Amino acid sequence: MDPIFFDTLSALLRTAVLGVLGYASLVCLLRISGRRTLSKMNAFDLVVTVALGSVLATVMLSEDVTLAQGALAFALLVGMQYLVTWASVRQRWVRQLVTGEPALLFFRGDYLSHALVKARVTKDEVRAAVRAAGLADLSKIEAVVLETDGSFSVLGNRAGGDAPSLEGVTTPGQNRLRQ
């Protein structure tokens, strides 16, 4: 039977050394690649963050994976993240493919039922987002938007102007809202 609580001091030492070196190499790569790599702005960013953590755990705990292999895996993930974000800033179709688009769920006093169903969001969740924004009166809400990272944005009524922050948000018919 394999040891459950303790194997050897050399196994513990290996985990400690690889943990420190793996962590240091990951931090160095993240500093080189910039803040955007771990921004968690959308599902794609979250996947990369989780994958980096998984690689670090594998490097630390698997005797079959060397530090060099782990560092290469870190570099590949960070490099791919950099390329995808670089392309998404320059090409709209890449951005749409990777991040999707924000969805308008509530607009000027009305729940947009089709959008709620498509986004799998309930009216209760929209009301909770409004409360979390510190607002109580739905008639004073201009819009509630489900952002690409899964968070809700609640916008108060506009003061006699248009709502440029809603530009690019899709409506239930998948039309882009233009104010």
Side-chain angles (χ1 to χ4, degrees):
M1 186 166 145
D2 290 333
I4 295 175
F5 297 107
F6 180 79
D7 192 6
T8 64
L9 282 177
S10 65
L12 292 177
L13 181 62
R14 180 186 187 283
T15 301
V17 169
L18 285 176
V20 169
L21 294 176
Y23 178 80
S25 65
L26 179 57
V27 168
C28 288
L29 280 168
L30 293 175
R31 292 294 295 151
I32 291 167
S33 67
R35 293 182 190 107
R36 179 66 174 84
T37 303
L38 290 178
S39 67
K40 290 192 184 94
M41 294 179 68
N42 55 57
F44 178 76
D45 297 322
L46 177 64
V47 167
V48 170
T49 303
V50 170
L52 287 169
S54 178
V55 169
L56 182 59
T58 301
V59 168
M60 290 172 59
L61 299 175
S62 176
E63 292 182 16
D64 297 332
V65 179
T66 65
L67 179 61
Q69 289 171 312
L72 177 59
F74 289 149
L76 286 171
L77 286 169
V78 169
M80 290 186 312
Q81 169 75 347
Y82 183 86
L83 288 175
V84 168
T85 55
W86 181 88
S88 70
V89 168
R90 289 159 179 77
Q91 297 293 323
R92 187 170 197 278
W93 70 270
V94 174
R95 182 172 50 256
Q96 287 176 322
L97 179 69
V98 172
T99 64
E101 292 183 337
L104 189 62
L105 303 176
F106 181 90
F107 189 63
R108 295 182 180 162
D110 293 319
Y111 291 97
L112 305 177
S113 298
H114 180 71
L116 289 168
V117 169
K118 185 173 181 181
R120 298 183 320 272
V121 173
T122 66
K123 291 179 181 180
D124 289 338
E125 290 170 314
V126 172
R127 286 190 293 270
V130 170
R131 289 190 302 273
L135 301 168
D137 188 354
L138 290 176
S139 68
K140 297 195 187 293
I141 305 298
E142 176 73 10
V144 177
V145 177
L146 179 62
E147 300 294 350
T148 60
D149 66 354
S151 65
F152 292 95
S153 293
V154 178
L155 290 83
N157 276 348
R158 50 190 178 164
D162 58 3
S165 67
L166 290 176
E167 185 175 324
V169 175
T170 57
T171 61
Q174 289 303 307
N175 299 318
R176 295 180 121 332
L177 190 61
R178 302 219 191 276
Q179 293 290 325

